[in-house]
Amino acid sequence: MTARTAALRTALALYPAGYRRERGAELAEVFTDTTAGAGPLACARETFDLAAYGLRLRTGVAATAVGGRLLAATAPLLAGALAGLVALPGLADPRTREVRVAARAGLAAPWAELPGHLAVLGLTVVPVLLAAAAALGAWRAVRTLALGTALLGTVRIGLLAAGEPDGWLLMYGATALLPYLLGGVLLTAAPPDLLERPDRRSRLLVLAGLAAGFALTRAQGGYDTRYLMDGWWPLALLVLPALLAAVCTARGRLRTAAAGVAVLPLTASFSLFSLWEQAGGVFRLLPGAAAVAVVVAAVAVAARRWTGGRPRRMAG
């Protein structure tokens, strides 16, 4: 078996079985024609594109799927929301001190500390560039910057896990980084062919997302433990956006559902740490999380049945 044949089989394995049975031969023929006489780099690029589309189909975020259309509707709001989160909320927020320390150290920081400092500064600058690119309709740049944001969040969480023996501080830091990780993944997954060209409406959506992200961060008091909420508020901040997204998606109102999806990474970061503290640990939190997921899914199914099993409008 040649390397090209192995790459083709690996890429096709990512497709749903039914799609592979129906279109597999056609996909293989197109791949063979496209890569005939091509070099290793071109072959790798075609393999990646083929595998990426299969993964989109399998995860339901292709341009033809509801998930893909929802992510495309969410993209401008989410791009703005991540930039709104970056605005430094106050001296008590630990991110303010982290940015100040990293900026002062610069490249003169010890080698062991340099990756963490660069990640801190990157998560301060990259989301702002991402929002600007979204406002200009440069969606290829948005997806690249979004992937960078997710990778920077992953690096910071990895560094925390490697160097932080205190579980409380690790959970605190990881949940603070959740919007960058989750938001970056969602923006990267948005189907590029559905993303709109720049116009007044798309720019207004980016600004609306920025305002919402900034307002949510300020209302929470940044990520200062003195302002972390107790009681039912953390649960409400998780459930309400999820319900909005689920119900409106089931009814075909994707633009309205996009508002819930866009703010959920932010409200999750504010809520999960408080819920974890109140529950007394991750394992004690899991039954409640499962119950909430079941309720949200049940409401979404009921909303879809209410509309006769078909969405009334797909634009929202």
Side-chain angles (χ1 to χ4, degrees), residues 12-314:
L12 289 178
L14 294 174
Y15 284 74
Y19 191 94
R20 190 166 59 246
R21 284 193 299 269
E22 183 180 348
R23 304 285 301 277
E26 179 184 347
L27 291 173
E29 183 179 353
V30 171
F31 178 84
T32 302
D33 292 342
T34 304
T35 58
L41 185 59
C43 182
R45 184 172 60 250
E46 291 296 329
T47 303
F48 176 81
D49 290 342
L50 184 65
Y53 189 68
L55 194 58
R56 283 188 177 279
L57 288 174
R58 187 173 288 276
T59 56
V61 295
T64 55
V66 173
R69 295 196 292 274
L70 176 59
L71 289 184
T74 303
L77 286 168
L78 184 54
L82 290 179
L85 181 67
V86 164
L88 300 181
L91 295 177
D93 191 301
R95 290 175 303 162
T96 307
R97 178 180 176 277
E98 289 172 349
V99 171
R100 184 182 295 115
V101 170
R104 287 177 177 174
L107 296 178
W111 282 106
E113 299 176 5
L114 189 59
H117 286 179
L118 292 177
V120 167
L121 295 175
L123 288 178
T124 305
V125 175
V126 173
V128 177
L129 297 177
L130 191 156
L136 295 173
W139 290 108
R140 180 175 295 182
V142 168
R143 295 175 71 239
T144 301
L145 292 167
L147 180 60
T149 300
L151 291 176
L152 287 171
T154 303
V155 168
R156 290 217 57 206
I157 291 175
L159 292 173
L160 282 172
E164 184 53 72
D166 190 324
W168 188 93
L169 289 174
L170 175 59
M171 188 68 176
Y172 179 67
T175 50
L177 292 164
L178 183 62
Y180 305 110
L181 189 61
L182 184 56
V185 168
L186 292 177
L187 281 168
T188 304
D193 48 335
L194 292 184
L195 297 172
E196 299 179 359
R197 293 182 178 180
D199 56 18
R200 183 179 180 184
R201 177 183 160 278
S202 63
R203 293 189 182 99
L204 287 176
L205 287 174
V206 174
L207 288 175
L210 192 151
F214 180 76
L216 284 169
T217 305
R218 295 297 296 179
Q220 169 61 20
Y223 212 75
D224 182 356
T225 52
R226 295 178 300 176
Y227 295 97
L228 290 174
M229 299 162 291
D230 294 324
W232 289 99
W233 271 111
L235 183 60
L237 284 175
L238 277 176
V239 172
L240 293 179
L243 276 176
L244 176 67
V247 171
C248 291
T249 299
R251 299 190 65 191
R253 301 178 181 273
L254 297 188
R255 290 178 184 171
T256 306
V261 177
V263 302
L264 190 56
L266 278 65
T267 58
S269 74
F270 298 151
S271 301
L272 285 177
F273 184 81
S274 290
L275 291 172
W276 172 75
E277 276 201 314
Q278 292 182 66
V282 172
F283 291 106
R284 293 184 180 181
L285 187 60
L286 288 179
V292 169
V294 169
V295 169
V296 171
V299 171
V301 170
R304 186 171 180 82
R305 288 179 178 174
W306 182 39
T307 59
R310 292 188 306 175
R312 293 186 302 175
R313 291 192 298 167
M314 293 313 296

